[in-house]
Each structure stands twice: as structure tokens, then as C-alpha cells.
Amino acid sequence: MKKIQAIRGAVCSENTREAIISNVCEMCNQIFMQNMLLSEDLVSIQFSVTKDITKLNPASALRLGNTCIDVRDCALFCCQEAEIEGGMNNVIRVMVTAYLENKEKTNIYLNGAEKLRPDYIK
């Protein structure tokens, strides 16, 4: 039986349109594939960005890029990450809410963002 779960991820990215599209799609594709998600499993995808990511909204990047599943009908949202003294720069975070079989989910941290959650890295 499937139940609703939240899958987390983050990626560090240069602040260029091309890098944001590439990094967002790589992170989301890894989440989709490693969690065996289908389009119909998706409920919503929420992004946050640090203040230095200004060239493209990651929700737009996901729609513009190449993904392994269709995200056209998925609700997407983006906001600015809270500014925390000493926090990492150039980070795009994501929370994918989806229906998953009763199994352990796989969170994805890439391109330097692994430092945010070393407890998730296997």
C-alpha cells in the first residue's frame, strides 16, 4: 500500500540559467529514479534557494529541463531559504511529496550539498 511521504534533496549550483537547469534536473531525476516514482505518484515539489541563486527559479528550471518523468501536472513552488549566519551559499533545496510504497525513501544531496546532511549519505 502506498502512503504519502516527503523526500528531501539539495544541490549546490552556480548562479547561471544553464547550471540551475542542469543541477535541478539532475537532483530531481535522481530522486525520481532512486525512489521509483511515476508521474502519478507526485503530489507537489517545493524548492527553496539561498539568496545568491537569482538567475532562474528552480521550479521553472524543472519545467524547462529534461526529466525522466512528466512533471507538467505537478504543483511546483519556490521560496527563498531563511538566511542563516554561516550557512552554505548557492544551494537549491527540494522537498518532493509523493505516494511511495512502504519502503525506505532515498534522499539525494549532490554537488557539495552532501555537507548539509551527512547522516543521509550511504
Side-chain angles (χ1 to χ4, degrees):
M1 181 170 116
K2 291 186 176 185
K3 69 176 188 173
I4 234 174
Q5 293 195 53
I7 306 161
R8 293 299 318 269
V11 64
C12 294
S13 179
E14 292 180 23
N15 187 31
T16 67
R17 182 179 171 88
E18 297 77 20
I20 293 168
I21 291 171
S22 175
N23 285 307
V24 164
C25 290
E26 179 184 1
M27 172 180 60
C28 289
N29 280 332
Q30 289 276 339
I31 288 171
F32 301 155
M33 289 184 295
Q34 291 194 31
N35 289 285
M36 295 182 282
L37 293 176
L38 304 172
S39 294
E40 57 265 23
D41 296 327
L42 298 176
V43 174
S44 66
I45 301 175
Q46 300 174 359
F47 294 96
S48 69
V49 296
T50 52
K51 69 177 184 171
D52 41 19
I53 300 291
T54 60
K55 298 295 182 183
L56 185 65
N57 178 316
S60 296
L62 186 62
R63 295 221 194 270
L64 291 169
N66 295 316
T67 55
C68 59
I69 63 173
D70 186 359
V71 296
R72 285 180 293 182
D73 293 331
C74 184
L76 304 180
F77 182 79
C78 185
C79 64
Q80 186 171 331
E81 183 74 24
E83 192 172 336
I84 305 298
E85 193 173 300
M88 284 181 75
N89 293 324
N90 300 95
V91 179
I92 301 169
R93 291 174 173 85
V94 68
M95 183 168 62
V96 176
T97 306
Y99 287 95
L100 289 174
E101 293 293 338
N102 287 333
K103 66 176 190 74
E104 189 172 326
K105 62 188 175 191
T106 302
N107 299 294
I108 301 295
Y109 291 82
L110 302 172
N111 201 23
E114 299 88 347
K115 296 174 191 169
L116 294 169
R117 290 303 301 261
D119 53 319
Y120 281 167
I121 307 306
K122 295 178 181 175

